[in-house]
Amino acid sequence: LAAPYVVVALIAAAIDYATFAFAKRLAGSQVAYWAVFCSAVSWTMGSGIVRPLVNSAETMLTALAFVYWPWHPPSTAPPTYPANNNRASLPFSLCLAALSCIVRPTSAVLWLCAGIVLLINQPRHHRVSRTIRVITTTLLIGVIALATMLLVDYLGYKQWVFPPYQFYIFNVQQDLGTWFGESPPLYHLYVSLPILFTSMLPFAIHGVYLSWCTKRVSVEPAVVAAMASFMFSLVGHMEYRFLYPLLPIGFMYCAISTQTLVGPLQHIHAAKKHDDPEPDPQRKSIWTVRNIVLYLLLTNIPATLYLNLVHQRGVVDVFKYLRQEVASNNVSQIGFLMPCHSTPFYSHLHKNIPMWFLSCEPPLDKQQLDTHYWEANDFEQSPELFLQKIFFAHNGQPQDTQEESAGGGRLLGGFMDNSAPAPGQKRPWPSHLVLYDAMVRRIDHVLVGQGYSECARFFNTHFNGDSRRKGDVVVYCKNINNN
């Protein structure tokens, strides 16, 4: 159980380091220290990135690629501008970008935006030759990355497949991502960005404004972020975690703002004009290092602690109980009468025990939207009728192994040819059932009639926007005398 947490901790640490190096290249050491502080205290980093999701790996690879990307210096950058160094390496940055695209194909949208900005802002001197070099390098690394991906997938699937194409068909051409929820067009603008940066968002906006006005810090990363956010808004289904790769950019501009408020940027100060007014040492300001640090800590750390230690902890705590039950040989099968993917499932059990949850797989064709069957919806609409259809009567197995299932499929000894029943397929009553308290009052009498009783209850959350997931996580156990 500890290994995934160690991995995501290392991923988060790599993002912190990349944020520091990225900000140092573009804005100097002082800004870099503020940027890594913003990254370290951010609730998004402390609660979102540390979850073992593919978005975390994508963000790490993207942040590292930002460090080596050839950002153009602003028009009035001083000779000591931090980005004027030899750290930029387009080939190495593209290699990291290619890995991020293999991990998550939508990352290609971000790098397409970065490539467009890079080509548009090419200096006039040797513009054609520079453009040709960028394109040829990109094509070469892209071909190598695609070949590597195809080979790895062939070794895994034992046939030639091209997942990005299927990803495009599913999420773009047919827009079947809306099966998981349809978002308004401006979702990323007024939901995702405020969630990602919360109390840092005003500083990030101020940092972009300062960079644009002074022309002494590059605004290219902000332009890339804006373009990518727009592109990601063209699909129907949006989640704030889709914008995780933009976190390092936001943290850098937040750092530019905070450093400017407490004192001038080092490289801007070095390029200060002779006729600029001197700061008044007697002038008092609320924008002190102490006040800003306290503000960022108080608006992020409590949220991080609450979300990690309290909010929705029941779906994890229940597995501690189930592992104990398995160790005591009290479990033969576990069923989850909950909205699908409510629990960490096998990742927190690590035992060879048959388990299943209500299916919610999306259709593979948009024409099937109206007729597609999914158990989670059927159960929510009519839980009692669903239980009658889905379970064998009298807790037994069918006498005829070819008995029809609730979804019209055929049975092979109670299950198909695997440990989990197919959607709508009949199954025996398990030894343990897990459900939310919101459903208990609707089916408690049915479960009691089948010989179940409540054997454990775990606090889950104080609030939840999904009415199906409200209340505690409740475990019902099959009475031994009723097996």
Side-chain angles (χ1 to χ4, degrees):
L1 291 177
Y5 293 103
V6 173
V7 171
V8 293
L10 293 175
I11 288 176
I15 295 173
D16 287 340
Y17 166 77
T19 299
F20 176 85
F22 169 58
K24 185 177 181 179
R25 257 199 73 203
L26 270 66
S29 298
Q30 294 179 8
V31 170
Y33 287 119
W34 275 108
V36 75
F37 174 76
C38 292
S39 179
V41 304
S42 167
W43 85 266
T44 309
M45 289 290 296
S47 181
I49 289 294
V50 296
R51 301 186 180 215
L53 298 173
V54 70
N55 304 86
S56 303
E58 176 198 14
T59 303
M60 177 191 68
L61 293 167
T62 302
L64 291 170
F66 283 161
V67 177
Y68 298 94
W69 186 256
W71 306 102
H72 294 117
S75 56
T76 59
T80 56
Y81 182 69
N84 292 340
N85 55 41
N86 296 324
R87 192 162 199 176
S89 173
L90 179 63
F92 186 58
S93 182
L94 285 174
C95 288
L96 293 168
L99 285 175
S100 71
C101 294
I102 292 174
V103 168
R104 195 160 183 272
T106 52
S107 188
V109 174
L110 173 62
W111 291 109
L112 174 63
C113 297
I116 291 173
V117 171
L118 176 64
L119 293 177
I120 290 176
N121 290 339
Q122 287 284 3
R124 294 182 179 179
H125 183 61
H126 299 308
R127 186 185 188 100
V128 175
S129 61
R130 289 172 182 267
T131 300
I132 293 175
R133 186 166 64 250
V134 169
I135 294 176
T136 53
T137 302
T138 302
L139 289 175
L140 176 61
I141 294 176
V143 169
I144 295 174
L146 283 175
T148 303
M149 181 191 68
L150 289 172
L151 179 60
V152 171
D153 287 334
Y154 177 79
L155 295 175
Y157 292 103
K158 306 304 180 184
Q159 59 180 332
W160 293 109
V161 294
F162 189 58
Y165 175 72
Q166 298 299 329
F167 186 93
Y168 169 80
I169 295 295
F170 185 90
N171 289 282
V172 180
Q173 181 174 313
Q174 300 201 51
D175 200 18
L176 286 170
T178 54
W179 172 265
F180 302 102
E182 192 164 2
S183 308
L186 299 179
Y187 179 88
H188 284 320
L189 180 64
Y190 61 77
V191 176
S192 297
L193 292 176
I195 287 178
L196 289 180
F197 297 104
T198 54
S199 60
M200 299 180 191
L201 185 59
F203 292 110
I205 296 173
H206 183 229
V208 175
Y209 171 77
L210 289 173
S211 302
W212 177 264
C213 292
T214 63
K215 299 294 190 296
R216 292 172 179 172
V217 178
S218 177
V219 294
E220 281 190 357
V223 174
V224 170
M227 291 174 62
S229 298
F230 172 76
M231 295 289 287
F232 287 137
S233 299
L234 298 180
V235 295
H237 177 67
M238 294 174 243
E239 298 179 32
Y240 68 86
R241 63 186 176 92
F242 296 168
L243 298 190
Y244 277 178
L246 304 184
L247 285 172
I249 295 176
F251 292 148
M252 183 190 71
Y253 286 110
C254 178
I256 290 173
S257 172
T258 54
Q259 177 59 29
T260 303
L261 291 171
V262 301
L265 294 174
Q266 188 175 28
H267 72 270
I268 290 180
H269 182 64
K272 186 175 177 291
K273 298 178 180 179
H274 294 294
D275 56 351
D276 287 345
E278 293 291 337
D280 182 2
Q282 302 298 324
R283 181 171 174 262
K284 293 184 178 180
S285 172
I286 63 170
W287 303 113
T288 64
V289 173
R290 176 180 177 273
N291 288 350
I292 292 178
V293 167
L294 285 176
Y295 168 74
L296 293 178
L297 288 174
L298 292 175
T299 53
N300 283 274
I301 299 302
T304 301
L305 294 175
Y306 178 79
L307 291 171
N308 285 346
L309 302 178
V310 180
H311 186 61
Q312 293 185 344
R313 64 172 298 158
V315 292
V316 176
D317 289 343
V318 69
F319 274 88
K320 298 178 182 178
Y321 169 78
L322 292 175
R323 285 200 303 273
Q324 294 173 357
E325 288 287 279
V326 171
S328 301
N329 295 321
N330 295 329
V331 179
S332 60
Q333 185 188 142
I334 305 172
F336 295 85
L337 296 175
M338 315 167 85
C340 56
H341 307 299
S342 290
T343 72
F345 214 53
Y346 277 112
S347 69
H348 276 56
L349 188 68
H350 289 203
K351 298 293 182 181
N352 189 21
I353 295 294
M355 296 198 301
W356 52 262
F357 58 83
L358 302 179
S359 67
C360 66
E361 292 83 356
L364 299 179
D365 192 312
K366 204 166 188 176
Q367 296 179 351
Q368 301 173 355
L369 280 174
D370 295 333
T371 59
H372 183 66
Y373 176 80
W374 47 303
E375 292 177 341
N377 180 65
D378 192 6
F379 177 63
E380 179 66 24
Q381 296 299 322
S382 182
E384 289 190 48
L385 181 60
F386 175 83
L387 296 179
Q388 293 175 10
K389 292 190 302 180
I390 210 72
F391 289 115
F392 296 128
H394 309 300
N395 311 317
Q397 298 285 341
Q399 296 298 320
D400 180 5
T401 57
Q402 298 297 317
E403 180 180 337
E404 291 283 349
S405 72
R410 292 286 181 177
L411 297 169
L412 297 175
F415 287 94
M416 300 290 276
D417 56 354
N418 50 41
S419 61
Q425 184 182 10
K426 277 184 175 289
R427 63 208 68 176
W429 289 89
S431 61
H432 291 68
L433 284 169
V434 184
L435 58 157
Y436 285 110
D437 197 23
M439 182 58 66
V440 167
R441 62 182 64 95
R442 299 177 64 182
I443 62 171
D444 176 73
H445 62 286
V446 177
L447 298 181
V448 171
Q450 290 293 331
Y452 287 90
S453 61
E454 181 180 323
C455 53
R457 177 180 289 262
F458 303 91
F459 167 80
N460 191 51
T461 180
H462 291 107
F463 61 92
N464 198 310
D466 188 342
S467 61
R468 302 171 302 167
R469 304 176 191 265
K470 288 185 176 180
D472 298 339
V473 173
V474 185
V475 181
Y476 276 76
C477 299
K478 187 77 169 176
N479 296 325
I480 296 178
N481 293 333
N482 288 277
N483 282 339

